[in-house]
Structures are given as C-alpha cells and as structure tokens.
C-alpha cells in the first residue's frame, strides 16, 4: 500500500479512536514515510509533538502500522527539520513556537520513554491480532444487540470495573467477534501499556496442551496470567474438554481475582454449554451475559448503508431495501452481498437497479406473482422513504425536523387510506405512543391536499397514493 494511503488510514484510525481533540493537537500534521528495509518514519512538526506521541502512543502506533504492513520492522520518530520534506509543513505549523516550551516539556517527559518502544512486541501478547476494522465506529447498534453493545462500550471505557466477565453469545455471523475486538481496539489506544490478548478458545487450549507436553506449564501460566485484557472467542469449544477445564479455571480465576477484564464469546449461553464444570459456568454467569440476535429489517438497512459508506459507494435506496429483504439473518452474508453489489456497480459503471439485484441473486420474481401480492404497510413506508429520501429509521424516530415529520405524516395518511388500519395499530407501526398523533398527522396531509392540489407536496402524495393503490388492485 502506498504510504499516503497508509498515512490517511492511520489518521482516520487515530481520530476515530482517540477523538478529534487529541488528533488535532498531535496527529494532524504528522507525516508517515515507509522504507524498503521495513523501517517506518513518523515525521512530527516539532519536538514536543514527537516526545508526546512517542511516549504516550508508541504502542498504539506500532500495533496499527504492523497490521497494515506485516513486514514492518521499526518505527523511527523524527521532526520535519531533520528531513527534506520539512519546510512546508513546518511553515504551516508556525516554526516560531517557543523552544523554551519544547525543551521544558521535553525534559519532563523524556523519562517516560522506554528504550524498547521501537521493538514490535511478541505477536502473541501484543494486540496485533486485533482486526483494526472491528471498531465501535463500524458497528451498527440495533434492537438485536442493544445490551451487548452497551455493555461492550462500558467495558471498553472501564476495563475490569463494570462487567466481569462479559459473556456475549449468539448465532454465527451476528457480530460477537466484532464487538469483542472493538473493546480491544479502544483499550489498546486508551491504555497502550495494557497487554491484550484476543484468541479463540481452540488456540488457547492448544497452547495449554503443548505447554504441558513440553513441560513449560510455568511459562504458560506466567504468560497468560500477565494479561490485562483477555478476549476469548468461541468458548463453546471447551464443552467436551473436561480434562482441560481445571487449568482453564485456574487461569480464569487468576485473571479475574486480580481485576483483569475478561470478555468471552460463545454460540450459546453458559447454561447450554455441555459438560461444563458448574464452577466455571457460575463464573461465566457471575458477570454480565448478553445476547446478540438476528438484526431486524431496519437494522439490516442501517448495516447495508454503513458498509456502503465504508466502501464509499452509493446504491439507490430501493435496491438497499430489497437487499435487506432478501438477506435476513446472517450479517456476514449481508456484508458479502454488499460487496457483490458494489463490484457489479463498479464493473457496469452505472447505478445498480432492482433488476440487476434480482439477476445477481437469481431471484425469479415473476411479474404475475408480484402483481397479486397485496401491498403491506412496510411497503408503503418504504415507498415514502425512498420517494422523500428520509430513512425508515428516521420516520419511526422521534425526530421532528420538517422533512422527517412530513414523510411520517404521509405514511400515516397512506396507511389509513390504503389499508384502513385502525389508529392504534398505525401508531404502533410508526412507533408513536398515542393515536391522537395519527389523527393530527392525517389531518395535516388532508389540509395540504385540499388547500392546493397542484402544489409539489400534493403531487407527491397523490402519486404515491396512486401507485400504491394500483399495486394493490392489480
Ligand atoms: P460472529 O463472531 O458473531 O460470528 P462477526 O463478529 O464475525 O460474527 O461478524 C460477522 C461480520 O458481520 C463481520 O464482518 C462484522 O463486521 C459484521 N457485523 C456483524 N454485526 C455487525 C453490526 N452490528 N454492524 C456492522 N457490522 C456487523
Ligand atoms: Mg466470531
């Protein structure tokens, strides 16, 4: 990867993990230079920035850069003035910044710089096994993962203090690994000295077995027991390994009792892991047990939108809605589908249509089958959402901005006109507490239609009504 791209990605990563303030004060001006021998230079605008980021964030920087470039050997910190690229950035930064301040800060901080900061740590105990893309910023919270998401955030903010262990369970492809690694990614930035280990239970047990075989149990113990944050994935793997549970329990206890944070992911709750010693089960249940479920329709839309945004890709709304209908369980599959769409769109160089989508997923919706289908309230909301470019989430939210309220009122009106549902039902569909809100909304639309049938708003409403009615009658 080109060094400019790495620099940009790195800056995005820092800004989203450390916040804009730290980013603007220390990272905005830095430059990254990569060399063929595996060295990487971080060029800083002045000594103060250099000392500061080197002492506080060198682990974070090292971990991030080594995931981007596995051949990386060493990170070297320099100021612009020692290189040719200096001048422009230096001018921008205002070279006049007092040397006194620099020197003062410098001596105050130099003690805290360890001589080993340029050495990548042991792969095993460093956080390089974390995927830098699994962050809270790329995770879409929804009804399906509310508790697991909130608890993960809380653990990331106060490791070892709130929920210990945090036990996340749910079917495959629903975001468990993403959540637990997000915790790791926050902590590796906020507490760079933390020893973080993410591993699957299988890796953990293999390591344990081989240490026993080679009579290195002591080493194994000291290695695992020095961890500050243990992220243990797929714990269900332990179910039949009764002989190994004793050692596992000891490791778990040692960490737990010294206040280290443990996060566990599993495809089922502790109560359903077979052949698990009771004392381990009760330890798991002693913290917080949170599940992740399949995402609902709106969350699927939000996930698709997020993935497209990450790929910098625009896809027409109706295609997104359709995709969220077709793929309704596993988020990994949803992600794969977004990738397919995005590749197709790139290759044909024009916006993808529903027809393309049907072809891509081999959907044989005969027009006959489609026309006999009765329109549903969801289809009405979808139609309004895509016509007015207001998301379904917003329509159902408490937002009161003009366009969101307008879209919401149209939904109320159309659902009443077309489906004649009772007001209470319409209120619950649209997430309103009270049916009087619905009366009010419908009235607003009627006033628009009656007062000026030729206005743009009236025309939008009428054409929606017409097309959705047609759809029903055919
Ligand atoms: P699990 O560990 O539960 O099997 P993963 O965490 O590996 O699932 O998630 C599968 C894929 O789906 C990952 O690429 C992940 O980024 C994505 N994913 C899962 N949940 C979400 C979410 N709520 N928001 C965004 N992406 C998600
Ligand atoms: Mg997983």
């Amino acid at each position: 990867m080109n060094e400019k791209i790495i620099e940009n990605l790195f800056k995005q990563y820092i800004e989203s993990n450390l916040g804009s303030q730290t980013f603007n004060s220390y990272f905005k001006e830095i430059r990254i230079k990569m060399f063929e021998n595996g060295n990487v230079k971080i060029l800083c605008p002045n000594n103060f920035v250099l000392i500061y980021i080197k002492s506080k964030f060198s682990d974070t920087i090292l971990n991030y850069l080594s995931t981007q470039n596995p051949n990386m050997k060493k990170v070297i910190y320099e100021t612009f003035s020692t290189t040719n690229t200096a001048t422009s950035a230096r001018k921008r930064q205002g070279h006049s910044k007092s040397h006194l301040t620099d020197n003062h800060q410098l001596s105050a901080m130099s003690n805290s710089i360890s001589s080993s900061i340029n050495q990548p740590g042991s792969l095993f105990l460093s956080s390089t096994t974390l995927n830098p893309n699994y962050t809270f910023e790329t995770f879409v919270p929804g009804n399906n993962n509310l508790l697991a998401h909130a608890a993960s955030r809380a653990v990331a903010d106060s490791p070892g203090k709130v929920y210990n262990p945090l036990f996340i369970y749910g079917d495959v492809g629903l975001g468990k690994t993403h959540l637990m690694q997000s915790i790791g990614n926050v902590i590796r930035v906020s507490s760079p000295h933390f020893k973080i280990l993410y591993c699957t239970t299988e890796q953990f047990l293999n390591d344990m077995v081989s240490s026993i075989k080679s009579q290195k149990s002591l080493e194994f113990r000291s290695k695992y027991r020095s961890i500050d944050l243990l992220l243990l994935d797929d714990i269900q793997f332990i179910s039949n390994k009764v002989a190994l549970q004793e050692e596992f329990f000891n490791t778990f206890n040692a960490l737990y009792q010294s206040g280290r944070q443990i996060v566990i992911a599993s495809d089922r709750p502790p109560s359903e892991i077979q052949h698990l010693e009771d004392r381990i089960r009760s330890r798991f249940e002693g913290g917080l047990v949170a599940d992740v479920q399949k995402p609902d329709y709106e969350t699927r839309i939000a996930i698709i939108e997020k993935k497209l945004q990450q790929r910098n890709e625009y896809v027409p709304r109706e295609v997104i809605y359709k995709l969220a209908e077709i793929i309704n369980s596993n988020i990994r599959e949803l992600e794969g589908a977004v990738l397919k769409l995005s590749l197709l769109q790139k290759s044909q160089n024009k916006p993808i249509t529903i027809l393309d989508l049907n072809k891509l997923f081999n959907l044989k919706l005969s027009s006959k089958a489609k026309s006999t289908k009765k329109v549903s309230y969801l289809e009405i909301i979808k139609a309004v959402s895509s016509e007015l470019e207001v998301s379904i989430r917003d329509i159902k939210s408490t937002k009161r901005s003009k366009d969101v309220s307008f879209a919401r009122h149209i939904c109320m009106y159309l659902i009443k006109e077309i489906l004649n549902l009772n007001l209470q039902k319409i209120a619950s569909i649209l997430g309103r507490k009270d049916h009087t809100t619905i009366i009010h909304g419908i009235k607003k639309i009627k006033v628009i239609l009656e007062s000026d049938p030729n206005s743009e708003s009236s025309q939008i409403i009428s054409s929606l009504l017409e097309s959705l009615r047609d759809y029903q009658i055919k």
Side-chain angles (χ1 to χ4, degrees), residues 124-125 130 155 159-160 163-166 180-181 183-184 187 194-201 203-204 220 223-233 235 248 251-256 259-265 284:
F124 189 64
L125 276 184
L130 293 176
V155 164
Y163 308 118
N164 205 10
L166 170 61
M180 75 191 321
Q181 294 217 3
I183 298 175
I187 294 177
F194 257 49
K195 284 187 181 156
I196 302 174
L197 174 65
Y198 165 82
C199 70
T200 64
T201 303
Q203 287 166 335
F204 177 90
F220 172 86
K223 183 162 88 178
Y224 277 93
R225 292 177 193 187
S226 67
I227 294 165
D228 297 296
L229 170 66
L230 174 62
L231 306 167
L232 200 52
D233 212 343
I235 193 78
F248 171 81
T251 307
F252 181 96
N253 266 351
L255 291 176
Y256 176 77
R260 321 293 176 84
Q261 179 70 48
I262 302 163
V263 182
I264 296 169
F284 288 170

Side-chain angles (χ1 to χ4, degrees), residues 36 74 141 188 190 196 204 226 267 303 327 351 354 356 406:
E36 268 175 20
K74 201 167 161 189
R188 78 170 174 175
S190 62
I196 302 174
F204 177 90
S226 67
D267 70 352
I303 293 173
I327 296 177
I354 294 271
D356 296 327
F406 182 52

Side-chain angles (χ1 to χ4, degrees), residues 124-288:
F124 189 64
L125 276 184
S126 77
S127 41
T128 45
T129 44
L130 293 176
N131 179 337
N133 297 320
Y134 285 171
T135 63
F136 287 115
E137 285 69 29
T138 58
F139 188 86
V140 177
N143 289 337
N144 57 317
N145 57 34
L146 278 183
L147 179 62
H149 175 254
S152 300
R153 278 237 76 122
V155 164
D157 289 342
S158 320
K161 304 233 161 52
V162 275
Y163 308 118
N164 205 10
L166 170 61
F167 190 104
I168 304 173
Y169 75 91
D171 280 345
V172 66
L174 297 181
K176 302 181 294 295
T177 301
H178 189 140
L179 268 181
M180 75 191 321
Q181 294 217 3
S182 302
I183 298 175
N185 275 318
V186 168
I187 294 177
R188 78 170 174 175
V189 177
S190 62
S191 310
H193 58 281
F194 257 49
K195 284 187 181 156
I196 302 174
L197 174 65
Y198 165 82
C199 70
T200 64
T201 303
E202 188 177 6
Q203 287 166 335
F204 177 90
L205 295 181
N206 284 344
D207 202 34
M208 195 165 97
V209 171
S210 64
S211 77
I212 295 170
K213 275 190 192 148
S214 57
Q215 297 181 320
K216 287 192 175 151
S217 294
L218 271 179
E219 248 173 57
F220 172 86
R221 279 183 201 156
S222 67
K223 183 162 88 178
Y224 277 93
R225 292 177 193 187
S226 67
I227 294 165
D228 297 296
L229 170 66
L230 174 62
L231 306 167
L232 200 52
D233 212 343
D234 295 323
I235 193 78
Q236 70 276 1
F237 191 81
I238 206 171
S239 72
N240 285 313
K241 321 280 182 307
V242 179
L244 298 175
Q245 291 185 11
E246 169 80 22
E247 181 65 36
F248 171 81
F249 184 71
N250 292 337
T251 307
F252 181 96
N253 266 351
L255 291 176
Y256 176 77
Q257 277 159 3
S258 54
R260 321 293 176 84
Q261 179 70 48
I262 302 163
V263 182
I264 296 169
S266 167
D267 70 352
R268 65 201 75 176
S271 58
E272 287 173 23
I273 301 178
Q274 287 183 345
H275 309 293
L276 182 66
E277 277 186 39
D278 281 344
R279 56 183 183 161
I280 300 184
R281 192 189 317 279
S282 74
R283 274 281 189 244
F284 288 170
E285 286 168 344
L288 182 80

Side-chain angles (χ1 to χ4, degrees), residues 184-433:
N185 275 318
V186 168
I187 294 177
R188 78 170 174 175
V189 177
S190 62
S191 310
H193 58 281
F194 257 49
K195 284 187 181 156
I196 302 174
L197 174 65
Y198 165 82
C199 70
T200 64
T201 303
E202 188 177 6
Q203 287 166 335
F204 177 90
L205 295 181
N206 284 344
D207 202 34
M208 195 165 97
V209 171
S210 64
S211 77
I212 295 170
K213 275 190 192 148
S214 57
Q215 297 181 320
K216 287 192 175 151
S217 294
L218 271 179
E219 248 173 57
F220 172 86
R221 279 183 201 156
S222 67
K223 183 162 88 178
Y224 277 93
R225 292 177 193 187
S226 67
I227 294 165
D228 297 296
L229 170 66
L230 174 62
L231 306 167
L232 200 52
D233 212 343
D234 295 323
I235 193 78
Q236 70 276 1
F237 191 81
I238 206 171
S239 72
N240 285 313
K241 321 280 182 307
V242 179
L244 298 175
Q245 291 185 11
E246 169 80 22
E247 181 65 36
F248 171 81
F249 184 71
N250 292 337
T251 307
F252 181 96
N253 266 351
L255 291 176
Y256 176 77
Q257 277 159 3
S258 54
R260 321 293 176 84
Q261 179 70 48
I262 302 163
V263 182
I264 296 169
S266 167
D267 70 352
R268 65 201 75 176
S271 58
E272 287 173 23
I273 301 178
Q274 287 183 345
H275 309 293
L276 182 66
E277 277 186 39
D278 281 344
R279 56 183 183 161
I280 300 184
R281 192 189 317 279
S282 74
R283 274 281 189 244
F284 288 170
E285 286 168 344
L288 182 80
V289 178
D291 64 336
V292 288
Q293 297 283 343
K294 289 183 179 144
D296 59 18
Y297 180 63
E298 284 137 50
T299 310
R300 294 202 297 278
I301 293 176
I303 293 173
I304 298 173
E305 282 171 344
K306 185 91 183 183
K307 305 279 172 198
L308 286 168
Q309 185 195 338
Q310 277 171 260
R311 308 184 59 81
N312 236 338
E313 194 86 58
Y314 172 83
V315 162
R317 240 171 226 276
E318 63 266 22
V319 175
I320 296 179
Y321 292 162
K322 183 79 194 183
L323 185 61
E325 264 173 47
I326 304 171
I327 296 177
N328 54 18
S329 52
N330 187 316
I331 301 174
R332 197 186 304 279
E333 270 177 43
L334 205 58
E335 210 168 36
V338 170
L339 180 68
K340 255 185 172 178
L341 276 192
S342 137
L343 291 179
L344 179 66
Q345 182 157 278
K346 273 212 179 79
S347 70
Q348 65 180 22
N349 216 0
K350 65 178 169 54
I352 212 155
T353 63
I354 294 271
L355 215 64
D356 296 327
L357 182 76
N358 288 343
K359 263 195 232 148
L360 200 60
F361 293 94
N362 285 331
L363 293 179
K364 294 194 186 69
L365 287 182
S366 75
S367 51
K368 211 171 164 197
K370 205 172 155 197
S371 62
T372 51
K373 208 176 119 212
K374 203 177 169 199
V375 72
S376 68
Y377 65 75
L378 194 56
E379 277 156 328
I380 296 177
I381 302 173
K382 270 181 350 196
V384 175
S385 159
S386 84
E387 184 65 29
L388 299 186
E389 302 257 304
V390 173
S391 73
I392 296 184
R393 265 199 171 188
D394 283 349
I395 290 179
K396 293 189 175 182
S397 74
T398 51
K399 285 189 188 163
R400 306 180 67 116
S401 65
K402 218 168 149 200
D403 26 334
V404 175
S405 300
F406 182 52
R408 189 180 299 134
H409 293 154
I410 299 182
C411 290
M412 297 174 182
Y413 170 79
L414 292 175
I415 295 175
K416 184 73 196 160
E417 282 294 307
I418 298 170
L419 300 176
N420 199 21
L421 299 181
N422 71 44
L423 297 171
Q424 204 63 56
K425 173 84 183 152
I426 302 178
S428 88
I429 289 170
L430 291 169
R432 308 289 111 187
K433 287 205 188 81

Side-chain angles (χ1 to χ4, degrees), residues 65-132:
L65 292 174
S66 54
T67 37
Q68 294 298 323
N69 173 10
N71 302 324
M72 198 198 71
K73 289 220 176 70
K74 201 167 161 189
V75 181
I76 300 161
Y77 293 81
E78 275 181 13
T79 56
F80 288 143
S81 55
T82 47
T83 70
N84 296 336
T85 52
T87 24
S88 61
R90 202 169 152 81
K91 269 185 199 143
R92 245 182 296 139
Q93 180 69 15
H95 180 42
S96 60
K97 212 175 185 183
S98 155
H99 279 276
L100 250 183
T101 327
D102 280 358
N103 289 339
H104 176 72
Q105 304 272 9
L106 223 149
S107 58
M109 288 170 129
S110 53
N111 289 344
S112 62
I113 305 177
S114 112
S115 56
S116 62
I117 51 181
N118 286 333
Q119 300 300 318
S122 119
L123 184 71
F124 189 64
L125 276 184
S126 77
S127 41
T128 45
T129 44
L130 293 176
N131 179 337

